[in-house]
Every structure is written in C-alpha cells, then in structure tokens.
Amino acid sequence: MRFSFVLAAGFSLASLLTNLTPAVGQRVKSAPFSYVPERADDRYNQRVTRKTLALPSGGFVILAHKSGTEYAVERYDADLKRLWSTPLALAAGEAVDGFARSSGQALVVTHATGAAQQLSAYSLDLSNGQKSPVKKLTETGPRDRRPGVAFSPTVPSWWCGATSPATSRLGPSALACTMRSCSS
C-alpha cells in the first residue's frame, strides 16, 4: 500500500516536472494620467458615482477632476490613447451633480448655489469633444430642497419624443434625466 502510494506520487511529480512550460505574463495596457481626489464630506454618498462611462464603439469617456474648481471630460480609445479633452471650469458655489452619455454626446450636470439653486447642463459631442453652451434645467429658491438629477440607463424611444437635433441641443439625454428632490 505504501509502495503504490509512493509510486503514484513519484510518477505524478515526475510528469509535472517534465512538462513545465515557461510562465507567460499577460501584458496590461496603461496610460499616464493625473488624479486629484474629490473633497467630499461623505465619500460613500457621492453625487457622481460613475465617472467612467464605456462607449459601445470601444473606449471610454471619463469625468476627470483636475483642480478644486476645474474638471475635464476626456475620451480615450480602446488602446488608451486620449482622443480629446474638454475643460469645464466651475464657478464658486458650483458642483458637478451628474454625468451620463447617450449614443452621440456626454452630459455633465452642475448644481449652483447662491441667490437661487440652479441645475445646468453641458452637452459634449463624443466625436470631437465640442462643448455646447450651458443650458439651465431648473431653478429653485435657496431655502427649497436641493434639486438633483437621475439618469435612466435605457430610455425607450416613445419616452424621448422627437429626437431631432433641431428640437434641442441636449437631445434625448435631457429628456432622459428625471428630476428628484433630495434633502441635504
């Protein structure tokens, strides 16, 4: 019994040692980038939870925090080459509240406080990064509840109504966002 066990173990060990193949490591793609962490009171309850959005054609779009009041929307291809970068300078009292994309554009929603609370949106063309003028989505009083924005991952065509670019520069993405009230 001991002899057959030792024989089986020895045969297994010999077969493993004779069939060794060199380990081949997988090469991982990398790209240089800068990272500035967000200053949030509650890091587990952030307004923008997804700052990287995949594109169906390959590649991705990111919302990069460059400095205290400056953000940038950057597009990378599948080979991690930056195709374009569009800066977004925020005014005092303004914060990013939402980030989403549709098939042809990225949408950045900002929340401004001051004499009134205001939600505004920037639309960026995904092909070239061109930024449209800011559009005011809603305005509330300074003592009202904080307005917010939520995006639906899939929007049925009947919900968007007319999807012609002539109807709105923001297009279906603006209609896809639904307003909600959040106490904060």
Side-chain angles (χ1 to χ4, degrees), residues 6 18 20 23-24 28-29 39 52 56 68 86-87 91 94 99 128 140 149 154 170 173 177 181 184:
V6 172
T18 58
L20 287 180
V24 178
V28 178
K29 294 180 182 179
R39 300 256 181 204
T52 303
T86 302
E94 199 171 15
F99 181 54
N128 58 12
T140 62
V149 65
T154 57
L170 296 177
S173 295
C177 69
S181 292
S184 61

Side-chain angles (χ1 to χ4, degrees), residues 72-106:
V73 177
E74 299 175 346
R75 180 175 177 179
Y76 291 85
D77 64 2
D79 296 327
L80 299 181
K81 293 181 182 164
R82 185 167 57 185
L83 299 176
W84 51 260
S85 178
T86 302
L88 296 172
L90 302 181
E94 199 171 15
V96 174
D97 202 53
F99 181 54
R101 69 151 184 89
S102 66
S103 60
Q105 62 190 2

